[in-house]
């Protein structure tokens, strides 16, 4: 069974940094594309960043140059390093992958950026 558990969220001031972590189990992690999404209150969930099995990364335009996604295939973790955080980055951040045609999600971790 696929299990994704996010951690690392918290309350920070604008301009500060935060690193999110997602621990994955139940899959051959190194073969999977992993994604970070976020959902702000009253907004739709949006894709923030993705990283392929060969570590090719893509980013939403709103986070390019500020966020970095990475993966550790030994510890089966995917990370999201967030820098120069803005109040509009406030959201619940979710880890996601697709396995055998189904989407799997973690429970999310709250990131709050104070101005």
């Amino acid at each position: 069974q696929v299990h994704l558990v996010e951690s690392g969220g918290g309350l920070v001031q604008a301009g500060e940094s935060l690193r999110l972590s997602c621990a994955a189990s139940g899959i051959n992690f190194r073969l999977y594309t992993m994604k970070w999404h976020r959902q702000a209150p009253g907004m739709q969930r949006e894709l923030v960043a993705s990283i392929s099995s060969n570590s090719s990364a893509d980013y939403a335009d709103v986070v390019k140059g500020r966020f970095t996604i990475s993966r550790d295939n030994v510890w089966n973790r995917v990370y999201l390093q967030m820098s120069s955080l803005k109040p509009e980055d406030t959201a619940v951040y979710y880890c996601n992958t697709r396995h055998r045609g189904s989407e799997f999600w973690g429970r999310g971790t709250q990131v709050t950026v104070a101005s």
Side-chain angles (χ1 to χ4, degrees):
Q1 186 168 353
V2 180
H3 234 80
L4 302 173
V5 180
E6 303 93 339
S7 60
L11 171 63
V12 296
Q13 298 295 316
E16 293 184 343
S17 299
L18 208 55
R19 189 176 84 149
L20 306 183
S21 177
C22 171
S25 61
I27 55 174
N28 191 346
F29 179 80
R30 63 184 179 88
L31 299 180
Y32 285 76
T33 291
M34 301 298 297
K35 300 179 181 181
W36 284 100
H37 299 249
R38 69 184 182 187
Q39 188 166 19
M43 305 291 285
Q44 288 197 335
R45 195 170 294 190
E46 62 175 351
L47 177 63
V48 174
S50 65
I51 186 165
S52 69
S53 58
N54 65 359
S55 294
S56 176
D58 284 306
Y59 300 92
D61 287 343
V62 293
V63 305
K64 274 182 183 175
R66 299 190 298 122
F67 290 11
T68 302
I69 189 171
S70 61
R71 65 189 299 153
D72 184 334
N73 290 339
V74 174
W75 293 100
N76 293 352
R77 288 181 179 265
V78 58
Y79 302 100
L80 187 68
Q81 178 68 46
M82 306 184 293
S83 303
S84 302
L85 283 162
K86 305 175 181 180
E88 50 264 44
D89 294 319
T90 294
V92 178
Y93 284 71
Y94 297 91
C95 182
N96 157 255
T97 194
R98 185 177 178 87
H99 173 66
R100 293 182 179 176
S102 297
E103 298 291 335
F104 289 86
W105 300 86
R107 290 189 175 183
T109 186
Q110 175 71 47
V111 172
T112 302
V113 184
S115 56

